[in-house]
Amino acid sequence: MEEIRSKKRLIDFSVLKEEISLDNIVAMSESIAYIHTRFLIGYIGTRMQKMNTDLFVDIKHKNEINHVFSDSYDLVQECVLYLCEHCGHHLSDVVGYTKKGKEITIRTACTKKMMKLVNRKTSDYYRSVSYENLKPSKEPCVKIQEDTIQDYTNVDKIIENLNLTENMRIALNCRMSGLSYPEIGRVLCRAQSTVFEYFIKMRKRYLAIYD
């Protein structure tokens, strides 16, 4: 409980209600990034938990001269770049509509921007292994490494040939990470039926090319 109170004091969530300005845009982006990464822990697991922890450390020590920022702070920078285009507005302001007429707020659009980056980072983290952290007894043999690289190369090539939309690509990577259709819908802010449609279209494209 004390840890939660400490984080609330460090990250000012009340800034999310303010008008977007150059004075509060960094604090606002940090709050959004922290909330979103914490929300995704339940869906992506330990990889996202590490990103959330690294992000909190970056926020806590960002004013220290010798602090080295983690890759997680890239989410904040991504959010800042997007919000700079909407100074003078509020996060709840509508910037567009989905095909089904659902409102897209600045905050939702910003979260989707970050989700693209989250998707790339968690995917790369999942596939890569630090050589320095490997113990001799756990080092994979050369043959296994080559097979694994070849498999991922084939998968990436197939996905590229499907010519997926950004939402489809995020949905597919979420599914490959073990998320259910309802969970993917919450990540994309889309109805579960829309997620089903994404995968139906992906299957059709796959069969048209590889069947």
Side-chain angles (χ1 to χ4, degrees):
M1 184 63 69
E2 181 59 33
E3 181 182 359
I4 295 175
R5 285 197 293 266
S6 176
K7 290 183 178 181
K8 286 184 176 180
R9 287 194 295 267
L10 179 65
I11 305 174
D12 183 14
F13 298 110
S14 64
V15 73
L16 299 177
K17 299 179 181 179
E18 298 178 4
E19 180 181 287
I20 302 171
S21 69
L22 296 179
D23 293 330
N24 64 14
I25 203 167
V26 173
M28 191 175 286
S29 298
E30 289 175 347
S31 297
I32 294 174
Y34 180 81
I35 291 172
H36 191 56
T37 53
R38 188 171 181 81
F39 168 76
L40 289 175
I41 290 175
Y43 301 117
I44 300 180
T46 54
R47 288 171 287 156
M48 185 52 59
Q49 187 172 25
K50 183 179 185 305
M51 287 188 68
N52 179 259
T53 301
D54 289 345
L55 178 59
F56 177 75
V57 172
D58 288 336
I59 296 173
K60 183 177 182 180
H61 299 287
K62 65 180 179 180
N63 294 323
E64 298 177 8
I65 297 177
N66 296 323
H67 176 67
V68 178
F69 286 88
S70 70
D71 290 343
S72 298
Y73 204 78
D74 291 347
L75 300 178
V76 176
Q77 296 175 326
E78 186 80 7
C79 189
V80 168
L81 289 174
Y82 180 75
L83 294 183
C84 279
E85 302 174 5
H86 300 279
C87 286
H89 299 277
H90 291 81
L91 291 174
S92 57
D93 289 347
V94 177
V95 292
Y97 296 87
T98 65
K99 292 181 179 180
K100 295 187 176 181
K102 184 178 180 180
E103 294 181 344
I104 301 175
T105 64
I106 292 176
R107 180 168 179 172
T108 300
C110 182
T111 299
K112 288 188 65 177
K113 288 280 186 181
M114 286 194 299
M115 190 58 206
K116 296 176 185 177
L117 188 57
V118 167
N119 189 55
R120 291 198 298 270
K121 287 184 177 296
T122 54
S123 178
D124 291 340
Y125 178 81
Y126 179 74
R127 295 180 183 182
S128 62
V129 178
S130 172
Y131 180 78
E132 295 179 355
N133 292 333
L134 285 175
K135 295 180 180 179
S137 60
K138 294 184 178 181
E139 289 184 2
C141 69
V142 174
K143 183 177 180 181
I144 293 178
Q145 284 183 321
E146 290 180 347
D147 289 343
T148 302
I149 294 173
Q150 182 63 41
D151 287 342
Y152 285 130
T153 301
N154 290 338
V155 169
D156 290 339
K157 184 176 180 180
I158 291 172
I159 293 175
E160 189 65 30
N161 289 339
L162 295 180
N163 193 27
L164 304 179
T165 64
E166 190 61 38
N167 278 349
M168 286 182 181
R169 189 179 294 272
I170 292 174
L172 179 59
N173 283 326
C174 285
R175 187 63 175 166
M176 292 170 67
S177 296
L179 273 66
S180 66
Y181 290 133
E183 290 171 338
I184 296 172
R186 286 192 285 271
V187 170
L188 291 173
C189 298
R190 293 289 186 273
Q192 184 175 332
S193 59
T194 303
V195 177
F196 278 126
E197 290 177 7
Y198 288 158
F199 283 96
I200 290 173
K201 290 178 180 178
M202 283 188 270
R203 291 188 189 101
K204 287 181 178 179
R205 294 184 186 185
Y206 177 84
L207 292 175
I209 299 174
Y210 298 100
D211 191 11

